[in-house]
Amino acid sequence: MESTALSVGAYLIERLRAFGVDHVFGVPGDYVLSFFKQLEESPIEVINTCDEQGAGFAADAYARIRGMGAVCITYCVGGLKVANTTAQAFAEKSPVVVISGAPGTNERYKNPLLHHKVRDFDTQLKVFEQLTVATAVLDDPQTAFCEIDRVLAAARRYCRPVYIELPRNIVNAIGTTCLPRITIQEKSDPAVLAAALQEAVALINTSRQPVILAGEELHRFGLQSLLATLIEKTNIPVASTILGKSVFAESHPRYLGVYEGAMGREEVREYVESSDCVILLGALLTDMNLGIYTAQLQQKYSIYCATEKLSIGYHTYEEVGLEEFIEGLLKADIVRQSDEPVPHPLQPANFQVVKDRPMTVQRLFQQLNAFLDDDMVVVADPGDALFGGADLFIHGKTRFLAPAYYASLGFAVPAAIGAQAAAPQLRPLVLVGDGAFQMTGIELSTAARFGLNPIVVVLNNQGYGTERPMQDGPFNDVLGWRYSQLPQLLGQGIGFEVHTEDQFAEALQKAHTHTDSFCLIEVHLEPGDCSEALKRLTGSLAERIHSTV
Amino acid sequence: MESTALSVGAYLIERLRAFGVDHVFGVPGDYVLSFFKQLEESPIEVINTCDEQGAGFAADAYARIRGMGAVCITYCVGGLKVANTTAQAFAEKSPVVVISGAPGTNERYKNPLLHHKVRDFDTQLKVFEQLTVATAVLDDPQTAFCEIDRVLAAARRYCRPVYIELPRNIVNAIGTTCLPRITIQEKSDPAVLAAALQEAVALINTSRQPVILAGEELHRFGLQSLLATLIEKTNIPVASTILGKSVFAESHPRYLGVYEGAMGREEVREYVESSDCVILLGALLTDMNLGIYTAQLQQKYSIYCATEKLSIGYHTYEEVGLEEFIEGLLKADIVRQSDEPVPHPLQPANFQVVKDRPMTVQRLFQQLNAFLDDDMVVVADPGDALFGGADLFIHGKTRFLAPAYYASLGFAVPAAIGAQAAAPQLRPLVLVGDGAFQMTGIELSTAARFGLNPIVVVLNNQGYGTERPMQDGPFNDVLGWRYSQLPQLLGQGIGFEVHTEDQFAEALQKAHTHTDSFCLIEVHLEPGDCSEALKRLTGSLAERIHSTV
């Protein structure tokens, strides 16, 4: 007997809220209208984006901050538009719940050609099986609540996207409370854990210069404070991967900066690569994290622990969890490192503006560094916005968002919408190239509509700057928009066009005080200009592109 | 022995050209850069869109006109962005070739975490297996040419999309000429064909009022002139489905108009539904074609022949082809129908503009009808742009493009780019709602860049007008853009803002003479105003939405 009868849609909303979801991003359509109505009448705020792609990126950013995000769209014409954003959430471990409306179960009899259908009624499901860790078609009110519980638990457990398909005749159907889930306590094997810790501690304690390389899983699985405690206790210096950037307080004296092989600051590279004990915690070994394989980490001297793998030197241990391993290190008798200073990112100084000096990429980031404050979250698009952004001095934890592995262009502007919805006390500073801005920058419309106020810096180098050093051609050009005119189209926001450092300084200052709506600052850069990191990266990539079998 | 050594990329380009592809739409990325370079050096023109979605829609429109289209994008971050547009091409039978760059086969050893990878190297392939009729990963130069031949032949044979994945180290590898393909001549079973024709002809010849309902397959499979000959010979009146609109010359005296149940013109409905012999040729029985199942066609008196099915009355015949069936009807002794006039779409008269009269949907389409000329192709987005557009008087064959089954919003603007690239002698007239325009309208940037000059009419009814009668809420609103300001952002084109009939007349006239670039005409409409067809449709849809199990 149920005390209160809940509809399937209402139960889904209740469970999403329990997981911290207060906003849902999406675009309505007839197969999902009833659920949009339920959302609107619930405490959850619906944020309509211009296109479903924008909703997908926004939900990803929201999930990275809140621990879960949701995108709600209609069948196929909406769902398949978020295939790419869901893929990114999968690759970079972001727990996004994809909720798709669908034809009613009562409409599917005899397999009719209903609008929005591709091949069969399960085509969209089959696509999302490739892109998520769990899927559910809520075609039976009897099991719908259990199914919702199952997939939301999977999203949280694996920090990866899940897919829920909601036939429109089920939304308002009353469901059945499910029995408490049989949950399996995942525990490390005590003997294996003890052996691994013993070997790790011995390696650390006999090393000359241990260093920790911190990755994004520490953030995704809520282990940031554990890392901080470990650093306090052992004094071991810590670098982060580019995907993990801001996982550790960058103002901390033991923080080295971002390590990414040849792409990162040279002093960080030297420090990490001269270490005789690199402890990688929660880091994916991606090409980007490894500076496109320019990283020189010696496996013999490495301790690698992530949620799906633990290896020390040349051998691996199975059945050891990341959290328990770090807890074990914390309890172990690790020699405290000396206070001898380590390389540290330069604290941003007052930037000395040179009047009429044309903007350069390098000085743009220096100028931004002096502008960043405690109340900002940086959202960077792939490309030089990300590579240059890697050395920004981030003030708080998880205040730097970027798809630094999957690297889908067009992430940053819609992600800023998700970030600010998730953390209204933070103002997004968006760094985006002109090519990427032309993909999704129009979602500033959504920011304007929902009263958000990101500061968007468009790095205008007249095309796909990342690709030019690899292989140039007219296909790397984009049309020269007058980006600062966008507020005229949208009827909100203010725009700036910047050629020189003093103009940029003035625009930043005005943007700082204009908090009513978004600010867009177009910065003209020389097409050939790019960050040192990008030069090193693309040189390395070019070799691969021109190779044949 | 090969006489001339061709690389895999060069062979693909050669074969695409043989199928009529002179333009490829896409966005480059590092995994596909070498192939973009090959394209640039070939006779094929590359049309870069702002976002991959735009390229996908453009290629779809191009394929509908040329018989094949191609979209070229990078691995996953590009490919998965065209999942939805490919799904539409599948659903509506449009032969789009999706060409995706990919990591080199020499980079895949030990399954490294290369950027843009989702789960495994074949994740994108598995997604496109759901959305295409053939796929090929060109991982071996020895077989690559044969594989290219195989999938391009499948695209043409089934008029549906195919997927080609091109690892970047294979692009410039020399391939091996493949032996002539063993092609199977698909022939109808002569005895079955004869029996079917005998029954069909008997049914037609004993009927009081036969009528042909012509669908999109006649266009896709090149059977339009066969239909025209059949009409000339038999004098049977012909209506088209909404998806097949413009498959038959609308100026022809035997043309009735679009039949779509309760959604179409009442006189067409009455004529078709009072027929005692409806001959459906190449028409998909979709909900949209059937006026959301308001169509009253009696199976007992129907002859239904499409590429995948033939049924007469209550039984079906197998192994009969659409083309041979129509050829059979042509050769058969069918009684010629009388010349008694049939309902015919109203020829556009001179539209009498009333000064200061606010625009309405109904009169907007009347005004457009008088404006349309022989050198235009109408491209309509789903929604009232499509429903109202159904009764436009189209001057030429295949001069009306719309996704009238899959119905993905945002098709029209990028499709106009594909349409004009495919048929430069035609000027696109784009009909698009404000909601759809906010999804992809920014692709006018691409039109501007490549010297195209569509006339875009934005039907601004302040949101998703199709959905309001079904279930309204703030989620159906969109931000009120100043659409006519878009040319200022792009630095090209001209914009008009229209409230009244005389303003619209003036804007159309100026657009007619301004052929240098695109023209955007924003038409303000009352939010509650919509076409009669839409009112009837949404009333029918609302019943379904509110139904529960």
Side-chain angles (χ1 to χ4, degrees), chain A residues 120-194:
Chain A
D120 293 303
F121 280 113
D122 63 357
T123 299
Q124 178 169 277
L125 170 67
K126 285 180 177 168
V127 167
F128 278 91
E129 281 171 350
Q130 303 301 325
L131 308 173
T132 61
V133 289
T135 62
V137 178
L138 304 182
D139 52 9
D140 184 352
Q142 179 73 29
T143 56
F145 290 12
C146 301
E147 286 289 275
I148 290 168
D149 286 359
R150 176 178 63 80
V151 296
L152 294 185
R156 176 56 62 84
R157 163 64 185 85
Y158 296 101
C159 273
R160 280 186 155 150
V162 295
Y163 173 78
I164 294 176
E165 187 173 313
L166 194 50
R168 60 177 164 181
N169 64 329
I170 304 293
V171 176
N172 288 300
I174 302 301
T176 303
T177 307
C178 66
L179 298 170
R181 278 180 61 73
I182 299 169
T183 53
I184 296 156
Q185 279 297 337
E186 296 182 72
K187 295 281 286 180
S188 302
D189 182 299
V192 180
L193 176 61

Side-chain angles (χ1 to χ4, degrees), chain A residues 54-384:
Chain A
F57 282 138
D60 178 359
Y62 192 91
R64 291 178 195 216
I65 292 176
R66 283 282 184 103
M68 189 170 287
V71 54
C72 183
I73 36 63
T74 194
Y75 189 58
C76 294
V77 295
L80 295 174
K81 279 193 186 178
V82 299
N84 178 58
T85 65
T86 307
Q88 177 156 292
F90 185 95
E92 301 198 351
K93 301 199 174 181
S94 177
V96 172
V97 183
V98 178
I99 303 164
S100 175
T105 53
N106 53 348
E107 299 172 84
R108 301 185 183 202
Y109 180 60
K110 291 191 179 175
N111 204 19
L113 295 178
L114 299 182
H115 64 287
H116 302 347
K117 197 175 91 169
V118 184
R119 188 195 291 252
D120 293 303
F121 280 113
D122 63 357
T123 299
Q124 178 169 277
L125 170 67
K126 285 180 177 168
V127 167
F128 278 91
E129 281 171 350
Q130 303 301 325
L131 308 173
T132 61
V133 289
T135 62
V137 178
L138 304 182
D139 52 9
D140 184 352
Q142 179 73 29
T143 56
F145 290 12
C146 301
E147 286 289 275
I148 290 168
D149 286 359
R150 176 178 63 80
V151 296
L152 294 185
R156 176 56 62 84
R157 163 64 185 85
Y158 296 101
C159 273
R160 280 186 155 150
V162 295
Y163 173 78
I164 294 176
E165 187 173 313
L166 194 50
R168 60 177 164 181
N169 64 329
I170 304 293
V171 176
N172 288 300
I174 302 301
T176 303
T177 307
C178 66
L179 298 170
R181 278 180 61 73
I182 299 169
T183 53
I184 296 156
Q185 279 297 337
E186 296 182 72
K187 295 281 286 180
S188 302
D189 182 299
V192 180
L193 176 61
L197 282 167
Q198 187 179 21
E199 184 181 8
V201 171
L203 195 61
I204 296 168
N205 282 345
T206 56
S207 68
R208 176 185 38 81
Q209 184 181 304
V211 64
I212 287 172
L213 185 52
E216 73 297 331
E217 285 191 340
L218 299 176
H219 158 242
R220 305 291 199 273
F221 291 92
L223 307 177
Q224 285 170 289
S225 58
L226 213 54
L227 171 70
T229 313
L230 183 67
I231 304 303
E232 291 311 323
K233 186 185 167 204
T234 63
N235 222 27
I236 297 175
V238 58
S240 86
T241 62
I242 178 66
L243 189 53
K245 181 171 169 69
S246 79
V247 72
F248 185 73
E250 303 202 344
S251 57
H252 195 284
R254 305 308 283 172
Y255 179 67
L256 298 160
V258 171
Y259 170 75
E260 42 178 345
M263 286 167 62
R265 274 167 41 237
E266 191 56 28
E267 55 180 357
V268 180
R269 179 186 192 174
E270 274 174 19
Y271 193 91
V272 172
E273 295 185 357
S274 64
S275 163
D276 52 351
C277 180
V278 181
I279 307 155
L280 297 102
L281 297 177
L284 286 174
L285 294 179
T286 73
D287 56 355
M288 301 277 271
N289 274 349
L290 298 174
I292 312 300
Y293 300 124
T294 56
Q296 305 269 349
L297 299 176
Q298 293 187 67
Q299 191 177 348
K300 185 175 175 185
Y301 303 118
S302 294
I303 298 166
Y304 176 84
C305 188
T307 53
E308 290 164 21
K309 187 170 185 183
L310 167 62
S311 64
I312 300 177
Y314 295 116
H315 48 250
T316 61
Y317 293 88
E318 293 183 10
E319 298 187 54
V320 176
L322 174 62
E323 183 170 2
E324 287 165 289
F325 186 75
I326 301 176
E327 280 170 346
L329 290 179
L330 253 177
K331 286 182 202 142
D333 198 10
I334 293 179
V335 176
R336 185 177 166 84
Q337 301 297 307
S338 79
D339 281 324
E340 197 182 327
V342 294
H344 190 62
L346 278 183
Q347 300 277 346
N350 276 336
F351 182 82
Q352 294 301 318
V353 169
V354 179
K355 192 166 176 335
D356 296 334
R357 179 169 173 165
M359 293 293 296
T360 64
V361 173
Q362 190 179 13
R363 285 180 59 86
L364 176 145
F365 282 102
Q366 291 169 1
Q367 203 162 347
L368 282 178
N369 233 354
F371 175 69
L372 268 181
D373 66 25
D374 291 353
D375 302 321
M376 289 184 181
V377 54
V378 175
V379 187
D381 224 87
D384 227 16

Side-chain angles (χ1 to χ4, degrees), chain B residues 392-432:
Chain B
L392 283 178
F393 188 86
I394 302 300
H395 291 243
K397 274 188 290 191
T398 322
R399 300 277 172 86
F400 185 86
L401 295 176
Y405 164 47
Y406 187 72
S408 186
L409 285 186
F411 170 78
V413 169
I417 293 163
Q420 200 170 27
Q425 76 282 11
L426 297 180
R427 190 169 191 191
L429 176 71
V430 176
L431 307 174
V432 55

Side-chain angles (χ1 to χ4, degrees), chain A residues 29 37 48 53 81 113 115-116 119 126 132 287 406 445 449 467 471-472 474-475 477 481-482 489, chain B residues 29 37 48 53 81 113 115-116 119 132 287 406 445 449 467 471-472 474-475 477 481-482 489:
Chain A
K37 193 71 187 172
N48 280 65
Q53 174 171 218
K81 279 193 186 178
L113 295 178
H115 64 287
H116 302 347
R119 188 195 291 252
K126 285 180 177 168
T132 61
D287 56 355
Y406 186 72
S445 171
R449 179 171 167 196
E467 294 174 3
Q471 177 82 72
D472 206 5
F475 44 78
D477 300 336
W481 291 8
R482 298 165 183 163
L489 174 66
Chain B
K37 192 73 186 170
N48 281 65
Q53 175 171 220
K81 278 193 189 181
L113 294 178
H115 63 288
H116 302 346
R119 188 195 292 252
T132 61
D287 56 354
Y406 187 72
S445 171
R449 179 171 166 197
E467 293 174 2
Q471 177 83 71
D472 206 6
F475 43 78
D477 300 336
W481 291 8
R482 299 166 183 161
L489 173 67

